[in-house]
Amino acid sequence: MDNLKERQKILKEELLERNIDPESVKQAFKDLVVELPSWAVGNSGTRYGTFRDKGAARTVWDKIDDCAEIQRVLGTCPVMASHVLWDVTDDGQYIPVREYAKSKGMKIGTVHPNTFAGQEFRYGSLCSPIKEVREQTNRHFVDCVRIAREMGSKVIGMWVADGTNYPGQDSLRERKQRLFEGLKVLYDALDEDMHMVLEYKPFEPFFYTSDVQDWGMSKLMCDKLGDKAKVLVDLGHHLAGVNIEQIISILLDEGKLGGFHFNNRRYADDDLISGTVKPLELFLIFKEIVDAAKDGLNTDITYMLDQSHNIEPSIEGIIYSVMNIQRAYVKSLVIDRVALKESQLNNDTILSNRIVMDAFNTDVEPLIAEARLELNLDDTDPIRNYRNGGWAKKIASERLDDGINTLGG
Ligand code: AFD
Ligand code: MN
Ligand code: MN
């Protein structure tokens, strides 16, 4: 028996001993959709500049093509998240975007409004003290719902970039009131079958206050808005040392976890490749989600990447990110929860942690490989599949200008 078959056999036996059905794990793997961010396939950079890649996506059409190529090697991510700032069409009509995506086997997922790129946003957008800016932002929100509708999207991903830089600059309570008023315009504009996810961030681009600075503010606003508003958790949007999986457990228990922007960080909103710096955190986040699902809680969550590939090739960075997310998810599925429940009831601290860490340390690649073969992918390794497919060379020869310099995700 070849090595992979042997490893698959041993792993399946181990899972059965843990009261886990390998077939259900593979099905869960196949069902995990991570939306591919349109803004991460093009050139992106930092405020210190951008290292441009030959053939980088320049337009929404290029981005759909790149995401379709990513889907070719992954097989489980036929959805592109869109950002209205960068995915513009010449005529402002978006049904063609939906049709083009469909022709490539893709759908448009979450649509993200723009509250940060524009001279008018100096003092904020919906929290700005300038009434005309707030009214312009309100109109933008209503148009974003139109764009989402035309793209066939059901989710608006709202990051409010507003804040202040100095004590005394503005009334913090009035900003909170403006925030709710503006978000309510967006919420009331949503179609029946749409919902919104509200992203929080402690700092940047403003550094004294951010108007939606943490999960508590996001949840407060979502609670005031209603059932169609939930919290979006961007992994890079937490101060050092914050226990993100605990936040996830709270939002799940409250039925208010709407989605993720996955990435990884060393210091702040670094937007690095998911799972490369803190793979255990990713696993423990999924542990909370799988626990909640097994307890019958709502885990209808939108998973997205939000990364900025500055030195690595963007398309490979996205593929690699999804592979890391998939692995963390599968590992969270192979925790022996029967044994864990018993060790917890016995307050056996060491054994409880060992059971969880045994899952984290389980090599699940043989089962993932089997699932990828069942998806009829050409290769069990998506990066190798991508490199063998020659896409990078193709787009470098066809896209002769090196793309619009878009800000990172
Ligand atoms: C930046 C922001 C935020 C937002 C993303 C896309 O920090 O994460 O979701 O841009 O607009 O990363
Ligand atoms: Mn984000
Ligand atoms: Mn961010």
Side-chain angles (χ1 to χ4, degrees):
M1 186 182 287
D2 72 47
N3 178 275
L4 178 59
K5 285 263 180 278
E6 180 59 21
R7 288 166 61 212
Q8 284 164 344
K9 181 173 169 296
I10 295 167
L11 175 58
K12 287 181 183 178
E13 284 162 4
E14 200 177 318
L15 296 191
L16 290 171
E17 277 168 30
R18 293 186 201 170
N19 312 292
I20 293 164
D21 167 19
E23 293 307 311
S24 65
V25 173
K26 280 192 290 179
Q27 190 53 54
F29 166 87
K30 294 171 189 173
D31 294 341
L32 179 72
V33 176
V34 179
E35 294 190 12
L36 309 173
S38 65
W39 58 91
V41 285
N43 280 317
S44 64
T46 68
R47 56 181 168 167
Y48 305 104
T50 297
F51 299 112
R52 292 170 173 267
D53 283 328
K54 284 268 166 270
R58 305 146 302 178
T59 64
V60 65
W61 319 109
D62 288 350
K63 295 172 188 176
I64 292 170
D65 288 343
D66 285 352
C67 287
E69 168 62 9
I70 293 168
Q71 164 59 2
R72 177 184 72 80
V73 300
L74 288 173
T76 57
C77 301
V79 187
M80 183 179 89
S82 177
H83 201 296
V84 299
L85 177 64
W86 299 304
D87 296 344
V88 289
T89 58
D90 297 339
D91 60 3
Q93 302 306 306
Y94 288 85
I95 291 175
V97 174
R98 182 180 66 195
E99 295 307 315
Y100 186 74
K102 191 172 168 206
S103 74
K104 297 291 180 182
M106 298 296 288
K107 283 195 321 184
I108 303 300
T110 305
V111 169
H112 296 72
N114 163 41
T115 62
F116 53 91
Q119 293 303 309
E120 63 276 24
F121 296 141
R122 181 185 288 253
Y123 304 113
S125 57
L126 59 165
C127 300
S128 171
I130 303 167
K131 186 164 175 287
E132 290 71 23
V133 173
R134 296 200 301 274
E135 288 171 349
Q136 176 197 318
T137 305
N138 291 345
R139 289 193 298 273
H140 175 66
F141 284 167
V142 173
D143 198 40
C144 285
V145 171
R146 171 191 66 89
I147 292 170
R149 187 184 307 123
E150 290 184 6
M151 283 182 161
S153 166
K154 303 298 177 198
V155 190
I156 301 282
M158 185 70 244
W159 173 51
V160 179
D162 297 18
T164 64
N165 270 353
Y166 299 99
Q169 176 185 333
D170 196 351
S171 159
L172 300 185
R173 282 186 290 113
E174 284 178 26
R175 291 186 73 89
K176 171 178 169 287
Q177 291 148 19
R178 296 174 208 145
L179 172 68
F180 177 67
E181 283 159 25
L183 289 174
K184 194 164 178 338
V185 169
L186 172 58
Y187 187 87
D188 291 346
L190 294 174
D191 290 350
E192 250 329 284
D193 60 353
M194 288 181 180
H195 68 276
M196 61 183 277
V197 286
L198 180 60
E199 184 174 4
Y200 58 88
K201 185 173 185 180
F203 68 92
E204 191 188 41
F206 297 97
F207 296 97
Y208 175 61
T209 61
S210 287
D211 291 301
V212 187
Q213 80 278 22
D214 63 14
W215 71 269
M217 184 57 146
S218 174
K219 183 177 180 303
L220 173 67
M221 288 294 138
C222 291
D223 287 344
K224 288 160 74 81
L225 287 167
D227 293 343
K228 294 199 298 184
K230 294 193 176 182
V231 179
L232 182 130
V233 179
D234 183 307
L235 298 197
H237 291 190
H238 300 86
L239 300 176
V242 169
N243 183 325
I244 300 177
E245 58 269 27
Q246 184 184 14
I247 296 171
I248 302 309
S249 70
I250 296 165
L251 293 173
L252 282 165
D253 210 43
E254 294 293 321
K256 276 294 186 182
L257 178 62
F260 286 91
H261 275 179
F262 284 121
N263 45 58
N264 240 200
R265 53 172 293 195
R266 280 287 302 153
Y267 302 98
D269 189 23
D270 310 334
D271 279 344
L272 299 175
I273 289 174
S274 301
T276 49
V277 181
K278 300 184 177 179
L280 179 59
E281 178 181 75
L282 201 50
F283 162 76
L284 292 173
I285 285 169
F286 274 115
K287 173 187 174 298
E288 292 306 321
I289 295 168
V290 173
D291 286 353
K294 289 183 181 304
D295 290 346
L297 297 184
N298 176 0
T299 55
D300 181 14
I301 297 162
T302 304
Y303 298 102
M304 291 172 261
L305 297 182
D306 179 11
Q307 296 172 179
S308 179
H309 305 289
N310 297 324
I311 58 174
E312 67 277 15
S314 298
I315 293 176
E316 289 197 11
I318 291 174
I319 295 169
Y320 187 34
S321 297
V322 174
M323 291 167 68
N324 289 342
I325 290 165
Q326 290 175 319
R327 186 184 311 109
Y329 178 50
V330 171
K331 284 174 180 255
S332 74
L333 290 166
V334 303
I335 295 171
D336 184 341
R337 286 177 167 82
V338 173
L340 182 59
K341 193 74 198 151
E342 192 183 336
S343 65
Q344 288 173 339
L345 289 173
N346 298 330
N347 293 306
D348 189 335
T349 309
I350 297 286
L351 180 57
S352 296
N353 178 261
R354 286 192 66 185
I355 291 167
V356 170
M357 293 310 290
D358 281 352
F360 179 65
N361 294 321
T362 300
D363 173 13
V364 295
E365 292 303 328
L367 201 63
I368 289 175
E370 191 171 279
R372 286 192 175 125
L373 290 173
E374 290 170 0
L375 288 167
N376 300 315
L377 299 179
D378 302 332
D379 193 324
T380 57
D381 180 327
I383 291 283
R384 186 171 56 210
N385 191 350
Y386 171 72
R387 290 183 175 182
N388 290 341
W391 183 258
K393 197 156 166 263
K394 175 180 181 317
I395 55 178
S397 67
E398 291 172 0
R399 300 173 187 170
L400 299 180
D401 65 320
D402 62 2
I404 302 159
N405 179 4
T406 53
L407 289 176

